[in-house]
Amino acid sequence: MVNLPLFPFPSARILGIETSCDETAASVVENGRVILSNLVASQAELHAQFGGVFPEVASRQHIRTIYPILEQTLQQAHLGLGDVDAIAVTRGPGLPGSLVVGLNFAKGLALGSGLPMVGVNHLEAHIYSAWLYEAYDTAIPEPDFPLLALVVSGGHTELVLIKSHLQYQRLGATLDDAAGEAFDKVARLLGLSYPGGPSIQQAAEEGDPHAFDFPRAWLENTWNFSFSGLKTAVMREVRRIEAHSAVLPVANLAASFQAAVVDVLVGKTIRAAKAFGAKDILVAGGVSANRALRKAIHAQALCPVHIPPIFLCTDNAAMVAAAGYYRFVRGQRDPLDMDVLPNWPLTEV
Ligand code: KG4
Ligand code: ZN
């Protein structure tokens, strides 16, 4: 990447494309912040029958959906491809077959239009969702550096210190299940529908978070997380109750599980922010849509907390365009033989 100065930020309109998992999405974003259009076609209903994402079904659905989504996105922004400056596309991490659809589509567009292409890390994209706002809204405050970010999604749970734009120090991550994955697995145990996060949240609203004392894996002296012990504890409780052929207290189990996840996520994030002298905290990724998590971190943090609005927490292409903007203005241009990176970590600088 050419290291052009980041200040002052030049103007640029970026078309974002996202197909890393089970959302097909395209968006146009101006100057890394202003959403001109943002379309997401979720496949959740299609995968609900399997209780999770079925990779081959996901890839084939992306193929069907990506072109209409692009057309509608450009239409909604009242723009043509000639009005954008670059195409940003998720290169990884994610499901290989799903990533390939978006990346090849972006390549076709780049080749046909002559626009430059920028490959974006999906985790970095989640982080940049906190900079976005809609064109008809007033600008929201930008997160301040150094920034402590908690990225919590279906595939990742990471604590990252962000020193300035695109400069990451990965402090810790989950040693086993991602937080979202734990929500999805526990939802299945409780007979709740996929995706598990929203189902557990809804069930938990009727339940008592103190009904069951589930374990919290603090993993002292590290910034790592672990959720598999918690998941096993819920499973044991479910088996114990079922052995007595009693009705599962789903709401209480969901509320107690959610409380355990939220305690650890919030506790460690706030401690890390303090330990590394972060000015602000940022929470992003699908699990950041969780109401209990949002409430707890806002209540407990001693510094400003940035959490994107719910529609930007789960996968979308506006966040890809936002991250792509900062890479584009830094001079990143990727070649047409670029491959997907299904296990791409957030690159440390
Ligand atoms: O970021 P995302 O859309 O996709 C990945 O990059 O993985 O995150 C999806 C994850 C799923 O595990 C889903 O259950 C979880 O985010 N999720 C939630 C909520 N909404 C989505 N978890 C807890 N509470 C929610 N309200
Ligand atoms: Zn995601």
Side-chain angles (χ1 to χ4, degrees), residues 213-226:
D213 186 17
F214 288 134
R216 274 90 168 138
W218 288 106
L219 308 184
E220 297 294 347
N221 305 318
T222 79
W223 299 112
N224 293 326
F225 298 94
S226 165

Side-chain angles (χ1 to χ4, degrees), residues 15 17 26 65-75 105 109:
L15 169 67
I17 292 173
T65 319
I66 187 82
Y67 184 68
I69 283 288
L70 171 80
E71 260 199 326
Q72 285 176 44
T73 299
L74 290 174
Q75 250 170 34
F105 186 71
L109 286 178

Side-chain angles (χ1 to χ4, degrees), residues 3 102 114 212 249 290 328:
N3 256 333
F212 296 91
N290 186 269
F328 175 70

Side-chain angles (χ1 to χ4, degrees), residues 6-290:
L6 261 179
F7 296 98
F9 291 120
S11 289
R13 246 184 231 142
I14 310 289
L15 169 67
I17 292 173
E18 155 67 37
T19 64
S20 68
C21 189
D22 62 341
E23 266 92 21
T24 318
S27 166
V28 182
V29 170
E30 208 158 56
N31 305 334
R33 302 204 65 198
V34 186
I35 302 174
L36 302 184
S37 63
N38 178 35
L39 263 97
V40 181
S42 170
Q43 305 176 2
E45 266 179 43
L46 195 63
H47 298 289
Q49 58 185 307
F50 308 114
V53 180
F54 195 123
E56 192 188 326
V57 172
S59 317
R60 298 181 67 170
Q61 188 61 19
H62 285 310
I63 288 180
R64 289 189 202 104
T65 319
I66 187 82
Y67 184 68
I69 283 288
L70 171 80
E71 260 199 326
Q72 285 176 44
T73 299
L74 290 174
Q75 250 170 34
Q76 276 195 11
H78 305 291
L79 297 172
L81 268 184
D83 302 310
V84 303
D85 298 286
I87 301 163
V89 58
T90 306
R91 187 180 182 190
L95 298 170
S98 288
L99 290 165
V100 162
V101 177
L103 186 59
N104 274 346
F105 186 71
K107 285 183 185 183
L109 286 178
L111 196 59
S113 63
L115 287 170
M117 185 175 58
V118 177
V120 167
N121 183 299
H122 183 81
L123 301 175
E124 181 172 75
H126 272 302
I127 287 168
Y128 274 95
S129 61
W131 268 260
L132 290 164
Y133 59 93
E134 300 212 68
Y136 52 76
D137 273 343
T138 42
I140 52 162
E142 281 192 62
D144 215 355
F145 301 114
L147 178 63
L148 200 288
L150 171 71
V151 185
V152 262
S153 69
H156 295 86
T157 303
E158 315 230 345
L159 267 182
V160 185
L161 182 65
I162 310 177
K163 294 166 188 165
S164 72
H165 280 294
L166 310 180
Q167 296 210 319
Y168 309 104
Q169 183 188 342
R170 194 165 174 252
L171 303 177
T174 182
L175 302 177
D176 38 61
D177 292 344
E181 196 180 351
F183 270 95
D184 294 336
K185 288 179 176 169
V186 167
R188 217 176 303 164
L189 282 173
L190 301 182
L192 298 170
S193 60
Y194 172 84
S199 314
I200 290 207
Q201 170 175 290
Q202 202 185 347
E205 256 143 48
E206 310 294 318
D208 173 7
H210 306 291
F212 296 91
D213 186 17
F214 288 134
R216 274 90 168 138
W218 288 106
L219 308 184
E220 297 294 347
N221 305 318
T222 79
W223 299 112
N224 293 326
F225 298 94
S226 165
F227 295 105
S228 76
L230 170 60
K231 179 192 65 192
T232 309
V234 177
M235 187 170 71
R236 272 207 215 102
E237 200 56 49
V238 168
R239 299 258 158 86
R240 192 185 62 80
I241 297 166
E242 282 175 345
H244 294 87
S245 39
V247 180
L248 270 188
V250 172
N252 282 348
L253 286 164
S256 304
F257 161 77
Q258 181 176 269
V261 176
V262 168
D263 270 1
V264 176
L265 290 177
V266 171
K268 291 200 86 147
T269 302
I270 290 175
R271 269 194 245 164
K274 209 169 148 204
F276 290 91
K279 283 196 182 142
D280 286 11
I281 287 175
L282 183 163
V283 190
V287 181
S288 68
N290 186 269

